[in-house]
Amino acid sequence: MSTQQQEPESQESPQDPEMKGTESPQQRRLKEKEEGMVDEHAEEEAEAAGETVHIKVFRYDPEVADKQEPRFDDFHVPFEKGMTVLDAVMYARDEFDSSLTFRHSCRQAVCGSDAFFVNGSQMLGCKTQLSELEQPVRIEPLPHQEVVKDLVVDMDHFYDQMHAVEPYFQDEDTPAASDLEEQRQSPENREKIKMSSRCIWCGACMSSCNIAAGDNEYLGPAAINKAYKFAMDDRESEEIKEHRLRILEQEHGVWRCQTQFSCTEVCPKDIPLTEHIQELKREAVKKNLKFW
Ligand code: SF4
Ligand code: FES
């Protein structure tokens, strides 16, 4: 049997002219380049015509002699309508310096891998239009995280905090498999936790939080929001909810939050993080849990 499968006719092909309107400028340029349609002097002409964006990108690599001292590199990227910060750094990498390192994947604000510090604020590169930013556009790795290389930070501590709140459903009396029933959630309860379930683990909120910057053990807004999603879900028992609140009301839990709203301001998914943290504090008080 052949292992090759024919592509369904409806599958989107990069060669499909119908798709032209949905391509990003960077994707279109790469395709035109492959097809030999790019004029060698187009970049110089664009720059001469002033149709470029000036980006300053943080550079650091502990393994390369001339990059061990952190610095900013300047790139002048030909501008096209609709270009994002991610498009610009991809262009800089593809056309000017292949060693420029950063994370990205979905390019649709879904994977959370390209959170950068742009002009002094945490944001997703793929969601941020260059046309909305002052030039030169300064692009740095997320603050308060160890830089691995260029725009790449070490996310291990962030993931540890996310896992510390036990982000999975729990039931102390799990019935036998044969007795399991579908666990339904009311539309009202779904509505209540809807926003908290939108987190894409980008780390922007944690990076923006002054408290997290000064207290490495603080669970941080993303992990507390993750705990909120489960603690407020009616499908878990009251006992499990109390267990969750006990994790959250520890010395480095919800009481560390000083309601500065920086996390809420930068969250690319508009999750009301500060509100969720405050609600969990109220729940802890109602249950007579300890104040720190
Ligand atoms: S809560 Fe928002 S800012 Fe924080 S990790 Fe999730 S999506 Fe990113
Ligand atoms: S590339 Fe996936 S969120 Fe930006």
Side-chain angles (χ1 to χ4, degrees):
M1 194 173 82
S2 168
T3 54
Q4 293 213 330
Q5 293 187 343
Q6 201 168 356
E7 303 255 303
E9 272 181 21
S10 61
Q11 189 159 346
E12 293 169 349
S13 154
Q15 302 303 322
D16 185 350
E18 296 277 294
M19 287 294 297
K20 197 108 180 161
T22 62
E23 291 170 326
S24 73
Q26 205 269 348
Q27 284 172 316
R28 193 161 59 250
R29 267 196 81 76
L30 278 179
K31 189 163 60 165
E32 287 173 355
K33 197 174 173 189
E34 279 165 18
E35 292 170 353
M37 290 163 60
V38 173
D39 179 345
E40 286 185 346
H41 304 294
E43 286 164 39
E44 288 92 337
E45 283 170 13
E47 190 167 345
E51 297 163 354
T52 57
V53 175
H54 180 186
I55 59 173
K56 294 179 89 68
V57 186
F58 180 87
R59 308 302 304 274
Y60 167 73
D61 186 344
E63 293 176 1
V64 174
D66 77 335
K67 280 174 69 185
Q68 285 168 350
E69 196 59 44
R71 62 165 199 261
F72 282 88
D73 279 356
D74 294 85
F75 300 102
H76 295 269
V77 174
F79 177 73
E80 288 188 52
K81 193 170 174 226
M83 234 178 163
T84 64
V85 169
L86 181 61
D87 288 330
V89 287
M90 288 176 82
Y91 188 99
R93 177 198 60 193
D94 295 344
E95 304 290 339
F96 303 138
D97 184 348
S98 59
S99 72
L100 177 55
T101 306
F102 48 93
R103 292 191 182 108
H104 72 90
S105 180
C106 70
R107 304 178 66 178
Q108 297 181 54
V110 173
C111 72
S113 59
D114 65 334
F116 305 136
F117 194 57
V118 182
N119 283 0
S121 187
Q122 289 80 357
M123 51 187 86
L124 290 181
C126 64
K127 200 183 170 197
T128 308
Q129 291 287 311
L130 281 173
S131 58
E132 293 169 1
L133 299 170
E134 266 184 42
Q135 289 192 50
V137 180
R138 201 176 156 99
I139 306 169
E140 301 170 68
L142 289 181
H144 308 137
Q145 331 266 26
E146 192 185 334
V147 178
V148 178
K149 183 179 176 185
D150 294 342
L151 301 175
V152 174
V153 294
D154 184 347
M155 297 288 286
D156 283 355
H157 178 62
F158 175 79
Y159 297 145
D160 286 347
Q161 301 304 73
M162 293 296 260
H163 290 130
V165 298
E166 305 179 3
Y168 41 82
F169 275 107
Q170 296 180 38
D171 190 336
E172 71 264 341
D173 301 315
T174 306
S178 55
D179 297 333
L180 283 176
E181 287 177 13
E182 184 182 3
Q183 287 188 288
R184 298 193 175 203
Q185 182 182 32
S186 68
E188 296 74 30
N189 191 233
R190 167 63 195 152
E191 197 55 34
K192 180 172 178 59
I193 64 168
K194 183 176 73 178
M195 293 303 285
S196 63
S197 67
R198 297 177 67 182
C199 177
I200 55 173
W201 295 50
C202 70
C205 55
M206 187 80 146
S207 163
S208 76
C209 175
N210 284 335
I211 315 305
D215 176 3
N216 208 34
E217 290 181 59
Y218 175 43
L219 286 170
I224 296 175
N225 172 72
K226 185 60 70 185
Y228 176 96
K229 173 183 181 295
F230 289 97
M232 296 300 171
D233 192 316
D234 281 351
R235 290 169 294 180
E236 282 192 336
S237 68
E238 278 302 309
E239 288 74 21
I240 297 294
K241 180 172 179 176
E242 186 153 335
H243 167 69
R244 293 196 180 282
L245 290 172
R246 286 192 185 283
I247 295 174
L248 293 170
E249 62 88 47
Q250 53 157 303
E251 185 179 357
H252 300 279
V254 289
W255 303 111
R256 286 278 163 176
C257 172
Q258 295 180 6
T259 52
Q260 294 178 349
F261 286 91
S262 57
C263 55
T264 303
E265 274 171 25
V266 302
C267 177
K269 305 309 276 187
D270 299 325
I271 302 171
L273 296 163
T274 313
E275 211 176 284
H276 287 172
I277 297 172
Q278 296 307 101
E279 195 175 338
L280 287 167
K281 285 179 183 172
R282 289 196 292 274
E283 287 294 308
V285 171
K286 278 195 248 168
K287 299 258 180 219
N288 259 339
L289 295 181
K290 182 172 46 186
F291 255 110
W292 287 90

